[in-house]
Amino acid sequence: MYQYDQYDQAMVDARVDEFRGQVLRRLSGELTEDQFKPLRLKNGLYLQLHAYMLRVAIPYGTLNGRQMRLLGDIADKYDRGYGHFTTRQNIQYNWIKLDDTPDILAELATVEMHAIQTSGNCIRNISSDHMAGAAADELVDPRPYAELLRQWSTFHPEFDYLPRKFKIAVIASDTDRAAMRLHDIGIQIVKNDAGEIGAKFHVGGGMGRTPMIGPMIREFVPALQMVSYAEACLRVYNRYGRRDNKYKARIKILVHEIGADEYRRQVEEEFAHILTLGLEPPQAEFDRIAAFFADPGLESGVLDKVDRSDPDFALWLDQNTAPHKQPGYAVVVISLKPTGGIPGDATADQIRLMAELSTAYSLDELRVTHTQNIVLPHVKKADLYTVWQKLDAAGLGSANLDLISDIIACPGLDYCSLANARSIPLAQKISQRFADMDRQRDLGELKLKISGCINACGHHHAGHIGILGVDKRGIENFQLSFGGSEAADTSLADITGPGFSEDGVVDALEKATNVYLAQRAEGERFLDTYRRIGMAPFKEAIYG
Amino acid sequence: MGETLLRYREDAVTGAPVLSLEDFLASDPMSNGAAAVRITPGEDARALLPHLGRIALIEVTFPAYTDGRGYSSARILREQGYTGELRASGDVLIDQLSHMCRCGFDAFAPAKPIAAGAAAKAVATWPEVYQKTVDGRSPIWAKRHGL
């Protein structure tokens, strides 16, 4: 994976120094909270309901064992012994003291990590496919492109005060594992008819209160013009995105209001101008970056067989591993969704164990998934049983990937000052209601996503089943929706009707799964059945 | 007001009255001397492109520091070869000076005065830069490859 050189390190170190100065000015009273707020937000430091929350960037969700180990140590030293992995492939600490933050950032800088641009109206951490470099179906590894964009977007002087936050995802396979079209810019690395590599740009997707699927804006941008094209996309947005209303300020609203064709025309005009400026890093720079990702150390001639004699292991193997491009290896997904647990949370000990496992069994690499799980991307099949035993002993052996208990949930009203409802207790109740694993497997792939407010951090619009918590005259109320998808067949979920109490929504959800079980055709997932038979039978069961 | 001008150029400040964009575009292009013009966040900097040769000062206003449109205006003007004074005025805070310089501003008229020493330090915040802009600094990718 990518390693800093002296330039990258100098930038992160300068940032730590700058922020240390800003915190001192705040603690001495020289800065008021109002003046400090925009500065701390540039470093991922939020003031939540009970304490400061620090969001640490994990660029394109990739990290090594040393970095993961430090994340565990920080959880122990500065938080309450745990961390929360997010839908943006980052980690958040929820109980941070302001005066500790410069030291935390300084410790992060020792392992090439930071909290730069993890909040604020700027270009956020670039996300990517958590199976990059391992997936059997990828065209190329998307991460060198993501890293090129990371450097371009870091402290970009023109785009630090955009109308609203800006999220970019880069993938390189037709199977979309990163919700690419639900990003402000979604890039798919593709090959054109001439066999050249380039970038297909989707612009104007997003969730939030007005969910939209990003339209395709350019079929093919040559790889060596990708930065210039992104610059053009951003400049048009910075100049013409709405600033009169925070809720209409995302780029999706601009693209929707002027139309994809007009937006494309403006971008092309700007792009033609920008190409004359020579802003694009050269091929040699791309090659330098790509070399870090080229060979993680995969061996050939490795035993391509797994002993399935332990039935519990076999269940986990079938549910939580995926094919690797290299024979003899598998991709392991560690579920952070135990029954009754908090989705995405891991204790310091669990984080350190995952770090150790990555070093011992996964070529020192881990990934964070946008579904709030952790991936060991390069595990030899011969080591899978050992890895599973160690995970299971640490409470990390849940064999529920993509099942109903593999829930995405935002932090909700337990932590977040924007939330209207508590997402975590609901997620816990649902996973307890469906605790029977045979039942979960019978229900099959079922992506359940919960947001505690309309901002949709829990991706409820894109859930096969989505739940949105709202505040109804002071009482938490949960709206249910069906039919969303964040995969290559991206779709937005439909609301069933009036909302429910916390227990009521669990009952309604259970009724909906019963409709599915009764009506499904051979091989259909919940989503497929819903798409085929429509809302009416579900509605009847839920409200009838 | 109480504004103090921070200026990073050698030439003298123009004495020309600062016109709104509308007034400037309506003024006589044959009149003597270089002009000064003010553009607000919603105005298109490209409207000035045919006239850059006779402008000595362009003031870009920031009614709120969170409105970043002026950064694009500045870069566009510099990218098209404007060499006169480019002044950021209004809600300009010390923490924005460095990015503003990178976008081509070379003068600042902050609503709340900024001490010159502190400003110089803020402008020098970043030892290196990742992007090529209009400030002439060599980006990291160029240094890496000896370009």
PDB file of all heavy atoms in Angstrom, chain B residues 82-111:
ATOM      1  N   TYR B  82      -4.309  38.045 -15.879  1.00  0.00           N
ATOM      2  CA  TYR B  82      -4.434  39.320 -15.157  1.00  0.00           C
ATOM      3  C   TYR B  82      -3.246  39.510 -14.210  1.00  0.00           C
ATOM      4  O   TYR B  82      -2.913  38.602 -13.442  1.00  0.00           O
ATOM      5  CB  TYR B  82      -5.748  39.330 -14.368  1.00  0.00           C
ATOM      6  CG  TYR B  82      -5.911  40.543 -13.492  1.00  0.00           C
ATOM      7  CD1 TYR B  82      -6.058  41.812 -14.055  1.00  0.00           C
ATOM      8  CD2 TYR B  82      -5.913  40.425 -12.103  1.00  0.00           C
ATOM      9  CE1 TYR B  82      -6.201  42.936 -13.244  1.00  0.00           C
ATOM     10  CE2 TYR B  82      -6.055  41.542 -11.285  1.00  0.00           C
ATOM     11  CZ  TYR B  82      -6.196  42.792 -11.870  1.00  0.00           C
ATOM     12  OH  TYR B  82      -6.326  43.909 -11.084  1.00  0.00           O
ATOM     13  N   THR B  83      -2.602  40.679 -14.290  1.00  0.00           N
ATOM     14  CA  THR B  83      -1.411  40.899 -13.457  1.00  0.00           C
ATOM     15  C   THR B  83      -1.566  42.060 -12.485  1.00  0.00           C
ATOM     16  O   THR B  83      -0.673  42.360 -11.701  1.00  0.00           O
ATOM     17  CB  THR B  83      -0.166  41.203 -14.337  1.00  0.00           C
ATOM     18  OG1 THR B  83      -0.492  42.322 -15.165  1.00  0.00           O
ATOM     19  CG2 THR B  83       0.210  40.005 -15.194  1.00  0.00           C
ATOM     20  N   GLY B  84      -2.711  42.728 -12.535  1.00  0.00           N
ATOM     21  CA  GLY B  84      -2.938  43.845 -11.618  1.00  0.00           C
ATOM     22  C   GLY B  84      -3.197  43.357 -10.198  1.00  0.00           C
ATOM     23  O   GLY B  84      -3.115  42.166  -9.910  1.00  0.00           O
ATOM     24  N   GLU B  85      -3.531  44.295  -9.330  1.00  0.00           N
ATOM     25  CA  GLU B  85      -3.787  43.927  -7.933  1.00  0.00           C
ATOM     26  C   GLU B  85      -5.091  43.136  -7.828  1.00  0.00           C
ATOM     27  O   GLU B  85      -6.096  43.497  -8.427  1.00  0.00           O
ATOM     28  CB  GLU B  85      -3.875  45.198  -7.073  1.00  0.00           C
ATOM     29  CG  GLU B  85      -4.158  44.899  -5.614  1.00  0.00           C
ATOM     30  CD  GLU B  85      -4.150  46.165  -4.745  1.00  0.00           C
ATOM     31  OE1 GLU B  85      -3.482  47.166  -5.121  1.00  0.00           O
ATOM     32  OE2 GLU B  85      -4.824  46.158  -3.695  1.00  0.00           O
ATOM     33  N   LEU B  86      -5.038  42.069  -7.054  1.00  0.00           N
ATOM     34  CA  LEU B  86      -6.219  41.239  -6.819  1.00  0.00           C
ATOM     35  C   LEU B  86      -6.435  41.224  -5.306  1.00  0.00           C
ATOM     36  O   LEU B  86      -5.633  40.651  -4.564  1.00  0.00           O
ATOM     37  CB  LEU B  86      -5.984  39.823  -7.367  1.00  0.00           C
ATOM     38  CG  LEU B  86      -7.171  38.888  -7.522  1.00  0.00           C
ATOM     39  CD1 LEU B  86      -8.316  39.540  -8.299  1.00  0.00           C
ATOM     40  CD2 LEU B  86      -6.733  37.612  -8.239  1.00  0.00           C
ATOM     41  N   ARG B  87      -7.489  41.906  -4.901  1.00  0.00           N
ATOM     42  CA  ARG B  87      -7.663  42.178  -3.469  1.00  0.00           C
ATOM     43  C   ARG B  87      -8.894  41.458  -2.917  1.00  0.00           C
ATOM     44  O   ARG B  87      -9.981  41.569  -3.486  1.00  0.00           O
ATOM     45  CB  ARG B  87      -7.832  43.682  -3.282  1.00  0.00           C
ATOM     46  CG  ARG B  87      -7.933  44.141  -1.841  1.00  0.00           C
ATOM     47  CD  ARG B  87      -8.263  45.610  -1.751  1.00  0.00           C
ATOM     48  NE  ARG B  87      -7.234  46.483  -2.320  1.00  0.00           N
ATOM     49  CZ  ARG B  87      -7.360  47.817  -2.403  1.00  0.00           C
ATOM     50  NH1 ARG B  87      -8.470  48.417  -1.970  1.00  0.00           N
ATOM     51  NH2 ARG B  87      -6.391  48.533  -2.945  1.00  0.00           N
ATOM     52  N   ALA B  88      -8.716  40.713  -1.844  1.00  0.00           N
ATOM     53  CA  ALA B  88      -9.847  40.083  -1.148  1.00  0.00           C
ATOM     54  C   ALA B  88     -10.302  41.030  -0.045  1.00  0.00           C
ATOM     55  O   ALA B  88      -9.496  41.471   0.764  1.00  0.00           O
ATOM     56  CB  ALA B  88      -9.423  38.755  -0.556  1.00  0.00           C
ATOM     57  N   SER B  89     -11.596  41.317  -0.026  1.00  0.00           N
ATOM     58  CA  SER B  89     -12.082  42.245   0.985  1.00  0.00           C
ATOM     59  C   SER B  89     -13.280  41.658   1.723  1.00  0.00           C
ATOM     60  O   SER B  89     -13.980  40.786   1.207  1.00  0.00           O
ATOM     61  CB  SER B  89     -12.480  43.571   0.334  1.00  0.00           C
ATOM     62  OG  SER B  89     -13.696  43.420  -0.357  1.00  0.00           O
ATOM     63  N   GLY B  90     -13.482  42.136   2.943  1.00  0.00           N
ATOM     64  CA  GLY B  90     -14.655  41.710   3.705  1.00  0.00           C
ATOM     65  C   GLY B  90     -14.288  40.739   4.817  1.00  0.00           C
ATOM     66  O   GLY B  90     -13.338  40.956   5.561  1.00  0.00           O
ATOM     67  N   ASP B  91     -15.047  39.646   4.892  1.00  0.00           N
ATOM     68  CA  ASP B  91     -14.869  38.675   5.968  1.00  0.00           C
ATOM     69  C   ASP B  91     -13.682  37.766   5.655  1.00  0.00           C
ATOM     70  O   ASP B  91     -13.826  36.575   5.406  1.00  0.00           O
ATOM     71  CB  ASP B  91     -16.164  37.862   6.130  1.00  0.00           C
ATOM     72  CG  ASP B  91     -16.195  37.063   7.428  1.00  0.00           C
ATOM     73  OD1 ASP B  91     -15.390  37.370   8.327  1.00  0.00           O
ATOM     74  OD2 ASP B  91     -17.019  36.140   7.531  1.00  0.00           O
ATOM     75  N   VAL B  92     -12.523  38.364   5.668  1.00  0.00           N
ATOM     76  CA  VAL B  92     -11.281  37.645   5.364  1.00  0.00           C
ATOM     77  C   VAL B  92     -10.546  37.422   6.679  1.00  0.00           C
ATOM     78  O   VAL B  92     -10.180  38.375   7.361  1.00  0.00           O
ATOM     79  CB  VAL B  92     -10.404  38.469   4.393  1.00  0.00           C
ATOM     80  CG1 VAL B  92      -9.058  37.795   4.195  1.00  0.00           C
ATOM     81  CG2 VAL B  92     -11.123  38.671   3.072  1.00  0.00           C
ATOM     82  N   LEU B  93     -10.365  36.146   7.033  1.00  0.00           N
ATOM     83  CA  LEU B  93      -9.748  35.822   8.320  1.00  0.00           C
ATOM     84  C   LEU B  93      -8.340  35.284   8.103  1.00  0.00           C
ATOM     85  O   LEU B  93      -7.986  34.829   7.013  1.00  0.00           O
ATOM     86  CB  LEU B  93     -10.587  34.782   9.070  1.00  0.00           C
ATOM     87  CG  LEU B  93     -12.078  35.103   9.190  1.00  0.00           C
ATOM     88  CD1 LEU B  93     -12.813  33.966   9.882  1.00  0.00           C
ATOM     89  CD2 LEU B  93     -12.293  36.413   9.947  1.00  0.00           C
ATOM     90  N   ILE B  94      -7.568  35.297   9.169  1.00  0.00           N
ATOM     91  CA  ILE B  94      -6.165  34.902   9.054  1.00  0.00           C
ATOM     92  C   ILE B  94      -6.005  33.475   8.542  1.00  0.00           C
ATOM     93  O   ILE B  94      -5.075  33.162   7.812  1.00  0.00           O
ATOM     94  CB  ILE B  94      -5.460  35.089  10.417  1.00  0.00           C
ATOM     95  CG1 ILE B  94      -3.951  34.943  10.238  1.00  0.00           C
ATOM     96  CG2 ILE B  94      -5.982  34.131  11.472  1.00  0.00           C
ATOM     97  CD1 ILE B  94      -3.149  35.500  11.365  1.00  0.00           C
ATOM     98  N   ASP B  95      -6.962  32.608   8.911  1.00  0.00           N
ATOM     99  CA  ASP B  95      -6.826  31.201   8.535  1.00  0.00           C
ATOM    100  C   ASP B  95      -7.092  30.956   7.045  1.00  0.00           C
ATOM    101  O   ASP B  95      -6.890  29.856   6.565  1.00  0.00           O
ATOM    102  CB  ASP B  95      -7.763  30.356   9.395  1.00  0.00           C
ATOM    103  CG  ASP B  95      -7.451  30.534  10.868  1.00  0.00           C
ATOM    104  OD1 ASP B  95      -6.461  29.957  11.336  1.00  0.00           O
ATOM    105  OD2 ASP B  95      -8.162  31.310  11.535  1.00  0.00           O
ATOM    106  N   GLN B  96      -7.559  31.976   6.336  1.00  0.00           N
ATOM    107  CA  GLN B  96      -7.790  31.817   4.900  1.00  0.00           C
ATOM    108  C   GLN B  96      -6.693  32.425   4.025  1.00  0.00           C
ATOM    109  O   GLN B  96      -6.701  32.240   2.811  1.00  0.00           O
ATOM    110  CB  GLN B  96      -9.131  32.459   4.503  1.00  0.00           C
ATOM    111  CG  GLN B  96     -10.330  31.608   4.862  1.00  0.00           C
ATOM    112  CD  GLN B  96     -11.054  32.166   6.053  1.00  0.00           C
ATOM    113  OE1 GLN B  96     -11.341  33.346   6.106  1.00  0.00           O
ATOM    114  NE2 GLN B  96     -11.350  31.310   7.025  1.00  0.00           N
ATOM    115  N   LEU B  97      -5.790  33.174   4.626  1.00  0.00           N
ATOM    116  CA  LEU B  97      -4.831  33.939   3.818  1.00  0.00           C
ATOM    117  C   LEU B  97      -3.985  33.042   2.910  1.00  0.00           C
ATOM    118  O   LEU B  97      -3.742  33.366   1.743  1.00  0.00           O
ATOM    119  CB  LEU B  97      -3.909  34.758   4.716  1.00  0.00           C
ATOM    120  CG  LEU B  97      -4.593  35.878   5.504  1.00  0.00           C
ATOM    121  CD1 LEU B  97      -3.536  36.688   6.253  1.00  0.00           C
ATOM    122  CD2 LEU B  97      -5.412  36.791   4.603  1.00  0.00           C
ATOM    123  N   SER B  98      -3.557  31.912   3.444  1.00  0.00           N
ATOM    124  CA  SER B  98      -2.662  31.059   2.671  1.00  0.00           C
ATOM    125  C   SER B  98      -3.344  30.530   1.404  1.00  0.00           C
ATOM    126  O   SER B  98      -2.785  30.581   0.308  1.00  0.00           O
ATOM    127  CB  SER B  98      -2.184  29.929   3.599  1.00  0.00           C
ATOM    128  OG  SER B  98      -1.923  28.783   2.889  1.00  0.00           O
ATOM    129  N   HIS B  99      -4.566  30.016   1.561  1.00  0.00           N
ATOM    130  CA  HIS B  99      -5.294  29.535   0.383  1.00  0.00           C
ATOM    131  C   HIS B  99      -5.588  30.675  -0.596  1.00  0.00           C
ATOM    132  O   HIS B  99      -5.559  30.494  -1.811  1.00  0.00           O
ATOM    133  CB  HIS B  99      -6.608  28.861   0.798  1.00  0.00           C
ATOM    134  CG  HIS B  99      -6.431  27.438   1.273  1.00  0.00           C
ATOM    135  ND1 HIS B  99      -5.205  26.848   1.418  1.00  0.00           N
ATOM    136  CD2 HIS B  99      -7.331  26.489   1.624  1.00  0.00           C
ATOM    137  CE1 HIS B  99      -5.364  25.600   1.844  1.00  0.00           C
ATOM    138  NE2 HIS B  99      -6.644  25.361   1.977  1.00  0.00           N
ATOM    139  N   MET B 100      -5.898  31.836  -0.065  1.00  0.00           N
ATOM    140  CA  MET B 100      -6.190  32.975  -0.947  1.00  0.00           C
ATOM    141  C   MET B 100      -4.964  33.347  -1.783  1.00  0.00           C
ATOM    142  O   MET B 100      -5.079  33.611  -2.980  1.00  0.00           O
ATOM    143  CB  MET B 100      -6.684  34.167  -0.123  1.00  0.00           C
ATOM    144  CG  MET B 100      -8.110  33.974   0.378  1.00  0.00           C
ATOM    145  SD  MET B 100      -8.718  35.422   1.237  1.00  0.00           S
ATOM    146  CE  MET B 100     -10.481  35.057   1.265  1.00  0.00           C
ATOM    147  N   CYS B 101      -3.820  33.331  -1.155  1.00  0.00           N
ATOM    148  CA  CYS B 101      -2.591  33.626  -1.912  1.00  0.00           C
ATOM    149  C   CYS B 101      -2.395  32.599  -3.024  1.00  0.00           C
ATOM    150  O   CYS B 101      -2.009  32.942  -4.143  1.00  0.00           O
ATOM    151  CB  CYS B 101      -1.370  33.599  -0.994  1.00  0.00           C
ATOM    152  SG  CYS B 101      -1.260  35.043   0.058  1.00  0.00           S
ATOM    153  N   ARG B 102      -2.675  31.344  -2.691  1.00  0.00           N
ATOM    154  CA  ARG B 102      -2.499  30.288  -3.688  1.00  0.00           C
ATOM    155  C   ARG B 102      -3.433  30.489  -4.887  1.00  0.00           C
ATOM    156  O   ARG B 102      -3.174  30.011  -5.979  1.00  0.00           O
ATOM    157  CB  ARG B 102      -2.757  28.916  -3.072  1.00  0.00           C
ATOM    158  CG  ARG B 102      -1.811  28.541  -1.928  1.00  0.00           C
ATOM    159  CD  ARG B 102      -1.341  27.112  -2.064  1.00  0.00           C
ATOM    160  NE  ARG B 102      -0.651  26.941  -3.306  1.00  0.00           N
ATOM    161  CZ  ARG B 102      -0.727  25.871  -4.080  1.00  0.00           C
ATOM    162  NH1 ARG B 102      -1.470  24.858  -3.718  1.00  0.00           N
ATOM    163  NH2 ARG B 102      -0.075  25.811  -5.214  1.00  0.00           N
ATOM    164  N   CYS B 103      -4.549  31.152  -4.640  1.00  0.00           N
ATOM    165  CA  CYS B 103      -5.509  31.391  -5.719  1.00  0.00           C
ATOM    166  C   CYS B 103      -5.241  32.701  -6.457  1.00  0.00           C
ATOM    167  O   CYS B 103      -6.011  33.075  -7.341  1.00  0.00           O
ATOM    168  CB  CYS B 103      -6.930  31.361  -5.175  1.00  0.00           C
ATOM    169  SG  CYS B 103      -7.457  29.690  -4.727  1.00  0.00           S
ATOM    170  N   GLY B 104      -4.196  33.407  -6.058  1.00  0.00           N
ATOM    171  CA  GLY B 104      -3.811  34.579  -6.830  1.00  0.00           C
ATOM    172  C   GLY B 104      -4.029  35.923  -6.165  1.00  0.00           C
ATOM    173  O   GLY B 104      -3.681  36.958  -6.725  1.00  0.00           O
ATOM    174  N   PHE B 105      -4.612  35.946  -4.992  1.00  0.00           N
ATOM    175  CA  PHE B 105      -4.780  37.232  -4.310  1.00  0.00           C
ATOM    176  C   PHE B 105      -3.412  37.743  -3.864  1.00  0.00           C
ATOM    177  O   PHE B 105      -2.568  36.981  -3.393  1.00  0.00           O
ATOM    178  CB  PHE B 105      -5.681  37.083  -3.081  1.00  0.00           C
ATOM    179  CG  PHE B 105      -7.135  36.905  -3.418  1.00  0.00           C
ATOM    180  CD1 PHE B 105      -7.748  35.665  -3.302  1.00  0.00           C
ATOM    181  CD2 PHE B 105      -7.896  37.972  -3.863  1.00  0.00           C
ATOM    182  CE1 PHE B 105      -9.090  35.491  -3.616  1.00  0.00           C
ATOM    183  CE2 PHE B 105      -9.240  37.816  -4.181  1.00  0.00           C
ATOM    184  CZ  PHE B 105      -9.847  36.575  -4.060  1.00  0.00           C
ATOM    185  N   ASP B 106      -3.215  39.052  -4.015  1.00  0.00           N
ATOM    186  CA  ASP B 106      -1.968  39.623  -3.512  1.00  0.00           C
ATOM    187  C   ASP B 106      -2.216  40.861  -2.660  1.00  0.00           C
ATOM    188  O   ASP B 106      -1.298  41.624  -2.374  1.00  0.00           O
ATOM    189  CB  ASP B 106      -0.988  39.918  -4.660  1.00  0.00           C
ATOM    190  CG  ASP B 106      -1.594  40.818  -5.722  1.00  0.00           C
ATOM    191  OD1 ASP B 106      -2.712  41.339  -5.495  1.00  0.00           O
ATOM    192  OD2 ASP B 106      -0.953  41.000  -6.776  1.00  0.00           O
ATOM    193  N   ALA B 107      -3.465  41.042  -2.253  1.00  0.00           N
ATOM    194  CA  ALA B 107      -3.782  42.124  -1.328  1.00  0.00           C
ATOM    195  C   ALA B 107      -5.045  41.753  -0.562  1.00  0.00           C
ATOM    196  O   ALA B 107      -5.896  41.030  -1.077  1.00  0.00           O
ATOM    197  CB  ALA B 107      -3.995  43.438  -2.084  1.00  0.00           C
ATOM    198  N   PHE B 108      -5.119  42.243   0.685  1.00  0.00           N
ATOM    199  CA  PHE B 108      -6.238  41.878   1.546  1.00  0.00           C
ATOM    200  C   PHE B 108      -6.735  43.103   2.293  1.00  0.00           C
ATOM    201  O   PHE B 108      -5.955  43.856   2.851  1.00  0.00           O
ATOM    202  CB  PHE B 108      -5.818  40.809   2.554  1.00  0.00           C
ATOM    203  CG  PHE B 108      -5.270  39.583   1.875  1.00  0.00           C
ATOM    204  CD1 PHE B 108      -3.897  39.456   1.664  1.00  0.00           C
ATOM    205  CD2 PHE B 108      -6.114  38.588   1.409  1.00  0.00           C
ATOM    206  CE1 PHE B 108      -3.381  38.346   1.014  1.00  0.00           C
ATOM    207  CE2 PHE B 108      -5.608  37.480   0.757  1.00  0.00           C
ATOM    208  CZ  PHE B 108      -4.237  37.359   0.547  1.00  0.00           C
ATOM    209  N   ALA B 109      -8.046  43.266   2.267  1.00  0.00           N
ATOM    210  CA  ALA B 109      -8.654  44.331   3.044  1.00  0.00           C
ATOM    211  C   ALA B 109      -9.669  43.708   3.996  1.00  0.00           C
ATOM    212  O   ALA B 109     -10.867  43.733   3.767  1.00  0.00           O
ATOM    213  CB  ALA B 109      -9.338  45.332   2.118  1.00  0.00           C
ATOM    214  N   PRO B 110      -9.161  43.075   5.068  1.00  0.00           N
ATOM    215  CA  PRO B 110     -10.070  42.381   5.983  1.00  0.00           C
ATOM    216  C   PRO B 110     -10.913  43.367   6.788  1.00  0.00           C
ATOM    217  O   PRO B 110     -10.418  44.432   7.186  1.00  0.00           O
ATOM    218  CB  PRO B 110      -9.133  41.601   6.904  1.00  0.00           C
ATOM    219  CG  PRO B 110      -7.780  42.200   6.727  1.00  0.00           C
ATOM    220  CD  PRO B 110      -7.756  43.004   5.472  1.00  0.00           C
ATOM    221  N   ALA B 111     -12.169  43.025   7.004  1.00  0.00           N
ATOM    222  CA  ALA B 111     -13.063  43.896   7.783  1.00  0.00           C
ATOM    223  C   ALA B 111     -12.511  44.069   9.193  1.00  0.00           C
ATOM    224  O   ALA B 111     -12.595  45.128   9.783  1.00  0.00           O
ATOM    225  CB  ALA B 111     -14.466  43.301   7.815  1.00  0.00           C
TER     226      ALA B 111
END
